[in-house]
Amino acid sequence: MKKYVSILTVLVLLLGFAALSYSAPAEIPSDTTPAVAKGKTKITLGGDIRFRGFAINNRDVEDKGTYASHRNYMDYRVQLRLKAELSPNTTGFIMLQSGQAHEPNVIWGSQQGGARGAYQVGNTKESQMWIHTAYIQYQGSGLLGVPAGIKLGRDKIKLGNGIFLFHTRLGDDQIMAYIQPLKELTLALATIKFREGNSDLSDDATAYALIGSYKGKNFGLSADVTYVDDQGNKDSTVARGRDKWGLNSTFGKDSNIHLWNFGLRGNVDDIAGTGLGARADIEFQTGKIANTTLLGYDPKFKGWAGLAGLNYKFKTIPLTLKAEYQIGSGHGDSKDIKEYVTAMGRLEGDYITFVYENFAPSACDSPLAKYSRQTGLCNTQYVIFGGEGNITKDLSARLYGFWIRANKAVNINGYKDKSKDVGWEVDTMITYKIDKNLKYWIEAGYFWPGDAWKLKNGKDPDDAWAIRHNIMVTF
């Protein structure tokens, strides 16, 4: 790890776009009136309160004789934000969030122990407040003669379209810096600490990202190179995935992950004034898992992923149509890691499909997280078509259909034969703006599972569906 630290020390003074474009805090409403503290420091307070109601049916995608996954519950989340602008160049930002260290959403009635009397139920605290975001950012043009800056602390991180790294739910500890040699061109460097481990040992898990972005008129280009250095894998005793795979039991104790991810992407908006737009993204991986004492060899990372899509925004009506294809490689029977390895941790609204990706086990056949939930494009491909738009000033809606297949055939429920047919899904969302900074929206999805979900006895599983009601006030 020391050699990477020395390289980072030199580069961090020169680069770093992620501080602005790849790691933005939740916004405080623009009409908020800031308070002025001592020395004319401007303090802006904000936050949000959100309540949700869930109805989820058959999230494990099994049949009525085997599953008990009807879930109906309510939860809430509270966020409090403080932005301190000490000068035009120096900013501090803090966001406190409800819940537990790993879960910001608090289920109604989830805690007990505070009640007295003959009926001792309820009357108890349900949540704590945690530091979700806390950073210091300095930016200016005095050091190098061009806009540059540095940000260090804890914040969300997303690279590009989020195909590889998408940590926006809880965030990570990080150092980020940026420089803009041209108005349209921004270069960046970031180091993200995933795990510290023992401070006396070289057993950290750290990512290093080099990023470039060019924003032209109606088009954009970006690229990034990310290196994930997981030394010793000390926390890998935890069983992962639906089949309870573990890194220790699969690769051996103290196996090291050395993963490189390369991403290249671009987009064009409103081509020649027609309202037609396009975007594309290609990602590929290399590297290896070292010290795999149980295998006798070091498997190499060979995953890849990509997307290509078109969208059309009508000029006369507030409607946008979208058609897109997304794909990620799978593991199959390879001795190497041929599946596309993703680092996911997205906000609840940043899903592709509402039911399959959000709640159900996935087709990801990776030994790192076999058939786990929320694994992104790992061994998954989507054909997407739909649209969204405004019905009235305060009412909007969207409707999308998905054809979902695996890149490598799987048998998620253990049937003797494998299949690439994951299934079909239809999702919708309707949003209504009740009042200033107060909105209600409902999300719903219905998933028809394909042959990849056949049960061990050869029967087809039941369909899965979910409905989620949301109401949130932002201040």
Side-chain angles (χ1 to χ4, degrees):
M1 178 180 177
K2 293 182 179 178
K3 64 180 180 180
Y4 298 108
V5 173
S6 62
I7 295 172
L8 175 64
T9 304
V10 177
L11 292 178
V12 76
L13 298 177
L14 302 177
L15 300 174
F17 170 55
L20 293 183
S21 296
Y22 291 88
S23 183
E27 293 185 358
I28 294 174
S30 58
D31 57 354
T32 300
T33 302
V36 179
K38 184 178 180 180
K40 296 185 178 180
T41 296
K42 188 163 63 175
I43 304 294
T44 306
L45 300 176
D48 60 68
I49 306 170
R50 185 190 68 191
F51 297 95
R52 304 186 302 179
F54 292 77
I56 307 171
N57 184 74
N58 194 19
R59 69 192 297 260
D60 292 325
V61 194
E62 296 176 341
D63 69 356
K64 294 180 180 178
T66 58
Y67 72 81
S69 54
H70 296 287
R71 305 185 70 192
N72 298 279
Y73 63 94
M74 296 280 293
D75 73 13
Y76 67 88
R77 187 199 67 189
V78 176
Q79 293 182 334
L80 297 175
R81 294 182 281 273
L82 183 151
K83 182 179 180 181
E85 297 173 86
L86 285 77
S87 73
N89 299 327
T90 304
T91 302
F93 186 88
I94 298 172
M95 185 172 80
L96 303 180
Q97 184 167 263
S98 60
Q100 305 298 321
H102 66 286
E103 175 57 67
N105 303 303
V106 184
I107 297 177
W108 286 21
S110 58
Q111 299 295 324
Q112 298 298 324
R116 298 296 181 265
Y119 182 70
Q120 298 182 8
V121 181
N123 190 44
T124 187
K125 296 179 179 179
E126 288 182 326
S127 176
Q128 303 178 42
M129 294 297 290
W130 297 81
I131 296 177
H132 178 282
T133 306
Y135 66 76
I136 299 171
Q137 179 173 299
Y138 175 81
Q139 55 186 351
S141 57
L143 178 62
L144 302 173
V146 295
I150 186 170
K151 182 174 74 171
L152 63 155
R154 180 171 185 82
D155 199 3
K156 300 178 289 186
I157 177 73
K158 174 186 176 183
L159 294 180
N161 295 309
I163 291 180
F164 170 59
L165 178 58
F166 204 149
H167 282 185
T168 56
R169 192 163 187 255
L170 298 173
D172 295 289
D173 303 311
Q174 53 196 262
I175 300 174
M176 297 183 174
Y178 73 95
I179 183 172
Q180 289 182 296
L182 301 173
K183 180 181 179 181
E184 300 85 3
L185 176 64
T186 314
L187 302 174
L189 182 74
T191 175
I192 307 119
K193 179 67 68 174
F194 292 146
R195 185 190 69 242
E196 172 57 35
N198 191 321
S199 59
D200 296 328
L201 300 175
S202 296
D203 60 352
D204 298 1
T206 310
Y208 306 91
L210 180 63
I211 309 157
S213 175
Y214 185 89
K215 180 61 177 177
K217 184 178 180 180
N218 293 338
F219 78 94
L221 298 170
S222 67
D224 52 67
V225 179
T226 307
Y227 174 64
V228 178
D229 182 29
D230 193 318
Q231 304 173 19
N233 223 9
K234 301 295 183 181
D235 67 346
S236 60
T237 56
V238 177
R240 309 182 186 197
R242 200 181 198 193
D243 286 358
K244 305 302 180 184
W245 291 47
L247 286 176
N248 278 354
S249 61
T250 306
F251 301 108
K253 186 178 180 181
D254 296 341
S255 56
N256 301 319
I257 294 177
H258 304 300
L259 169 63
W260 290 86
N261 187 89
F262 300 85
L264 178 63
R265 60 196 68 87
N267 66 280
V268 182
D269 301 322
D270 196 20
I271 300 172
T274 62
L276 181 65
R279 70 169 184 161
D281 191 332
I282 182 67
E283 314 267 339
F284 63 94
Q285 297 175 336
T286 187
K288 65 180 180 180
I289 300 180
N291 297 334
T292 55
T293 55
L294 294 183
L295 295 182
Y297 67 95
D298 294 343
K300 297 179 180 179
F301 290 102
K302 297 181 179 180
W304 54 268
L307 67 81
L310 297 172
N311 62 82
Y312 182 76
K313 186 175 183 179
F314 288 85
K315 300 290 185 178
T316 56
I317 57 175
L319 175 65
T320 300
L321 298 180
K322 171 183 172 181
E324 189 164 278
Y325 177 66
Q326 301 185 15
I327 184 172
S329 60
H331 183 78
D333 297 325
S334 175
K335 292 184 178 181
D336 290 315
I337 307 297
K338 285 191 174 183
E339 70 277 12
Y340 186 69
V341 176
T342 57
M344 296 286 106
R346 296 181 283 201
L347 288 168
E348 295 91 337
D350 290 329
Y351 53 81
I352 299 174
T353 55
F354 183 55
V355 179
Y356 167 71
E357 187 183 24
N358 229 11
F359 301 111
S362 75
C364 180
D365 58 347
S366 172
L368 300 172
K370 190 173 184 181
Y371 304 152
S372 293
R373 292 178 170 86
Q374 301 178 7
T375 54
L377 285 181
C378 174
N379 195 36
T380 301
Q381 47 187 323
Y382 296 101
V383 176
I384 307 169
F385 181 76
E388 54 191 87
N390 297 323
I391 301 172
T392 68
K393 179 182 176 181
D394 298 320
L395 184 65
S396 61
R398 70 184 188 189
L399 178 66
Y400 284 96
F402 305 86
W403 180 34
I404 312 169
R405 289 181 61 82
N407 186 272
K408 298 290 185 180
V410 292
N411 52 352
I412 301 173
N413 281 322
Y415 185 58
K416 61 182 180 65
D417 296 327
K418 295 183 177 182
S419 173
K420 294 183 179 181
D421 180 17
V422 175
W424 297 78
E425 181 166 333
V426 172
D427 293 344
T428 187
M429 182 169 73
I430 299 173
T431 303
Y432 178 63
K433 296 179 182 179
I434 301 172
D435 199 355
K436 178 182 178 181
N437 296 338
L438 175 64
K439 68 176 182 178
Y440 164 83
W441 68 102
I442 181 172
E443 304 157 278
Y446 199 96
F447 176 58
W448 293 269
D451 288 342
W453 296 90
K454 276 188 176 293
L455 306 177
K456 289 183 178 180
N457 58 13
K459 292 183 178 180
D460 294 327
D462 293 332
D463 300 341
W465 55 263
I467 299 173
R468 183 164 66 191
H469 299 267
N470 312 257
I471 187 168
M472 183 170 72
V473 61
T474 305
F475 52 90

